[in-house]
Amino acid sequence: MKRNIVIAAVTAAALIGGGTATALATTGDDEGSARQAATTQLSNDDDRDDDAEKAEKTVSADVTASEAIASALKHTSGTVVSAELDDEGDGDKVVWNVDVLSGDNTWHSVSVDPANGKVLGSHTDDEDDTAQVRAALKGSSVTAEEAAKAAAAKGVVTSVDLDDDGKNTSWEAETRKSGGAEQDWKIDLTSGRVTADDQD
C-alpha cells in the first residue's frame, strides 16, 4: 500500500512539475526489498526542451540580426526582405537565414554563421510575391538592417521580416530576452519607430 502511495505521489509531482520523473519505490513486505520503477512523461517535454535550447542558443548568438544582414549583403547584393535565426534542419545547429531580393528579381537565401558572421552558403528560391514586396518597399526609407538595429533596443532580435499584408506595411521583428520571453514588434518603414505588435 505504501509503495502505491509513494508512486502516486511522485507521479503527481512529475505531472505538476511538467517534467520527466522516475520513481523507485521499495516494498516493506517480509520477502525482502523489491524495486519497481514508474516512469511518467508528458508528451510535450521534448518541445519544451527544444524551445528552451533554441532560446539559449538565440540569446547567446554572437552575431546580431543587423550584422547577419550586413554579411549576407556583402555576399549577395540586393534588398533584404527577412532574416531569421533558425534551426538548420537537423535541429543541432542554429543559423541566420537571410532572404535577399536581387536587382534582377531573383530571390536568394543566404545562410550566415551566428558565431562569426561568415556566409555558410546560399541558394536561389522561387517566390511569387516579388511585385508585392517591391510595391510595399516603394518609398520606404528604413531597411531591414536598420529595423533590426531599432528593435535590438527591446531585446535580442531573432527575426525581422517585411509585413506586406494589408494596408499598414511595416517591418516585423521578434525579440527574446534572457530567460526566453518573446515579444513581437512593428517597425515603421519610414520613421523607424518601434511599437508593440497589438496582435501578439
Side-chain angles (χ1 to χ4, degrees), residues 65-148:
S66 59
E67 292 168 342
I69 291 170
S71 290
L73 287 174
K74 285 180 185 173
H75 181 270
T76 305
S77 62
T79 302
V80 172
V81 179
S82 70
E84 180 179 12
L85 191 60
D86 202 6
D87 295 340
E88 191 176 44
D90 58 7
D92 291 337
K93 184 166 183 168
V94 175
V95 298
W96 281 108
N97 291 316
V98 183
D99 291 331
V100 181
L101 177 57
S102 66
D104 65 355
N105 290 334
T106 302
W107 288 88
H108 302 269
S109 182
V110 182
S111 297
V112 178
D113 192 320
N116 55 29
K118 290 183 180 177
V119 171
L120 301 171
S122 69
H123 64 273
T124 58
D125 280 334
D126 292 327
E127 298 286 343
D128 58 1
D129 61 345
T130 302
Q132 186 176 352
V133 167
R134 293 271 189 222
L137 289 173
K138 188 176 182 179
S140 69
S141 57
V142 177
T143 65
E145 185 176 356
E146 292 165 337

Side-chain angles (χ1 to χ4, degrees), residues 12 16 32-33 61 75 105 120 171 183:
I16 291 170
S33 296
H75 181 270
N105 290 334
L120 301 171
W171 291 108
Q183 176 71 47

Side-chain angles (χ1 to χ4, degrees), residues 5-80:
I5 292 172
V6 170
I7 291 172
V10 172
T11 301
L15 288 172
I16 291 170
T20 301
T22 301
L24 295 176
T26 58
T27 61
D29 57 15
D30 293 340
E31 297 176 7
S33 296
R35 290 187 165 194
Q36 178 179 353
T39 302
T40 305
Q41 181 170 0
L42 297 177
S43 61
N44 61 352
D45 277 354
D46 291 340
D47 293 339
R48 287 184 191 162
D49 291 343
D50 290 345
D51 288 346
E53 186 176 329
K54 184 177 175 185
E56 186 59 36
K57 288 179 182 176
T58 298
V59 173
S60 64
D62 293 329
V63 175
T64 66
S66 59
E67 292 168 342
I69 291 170
S71 290
L73 287 174
K74 285 180 185 173
H75 181 270
T76 305
S77 62
T79 302
V80 172

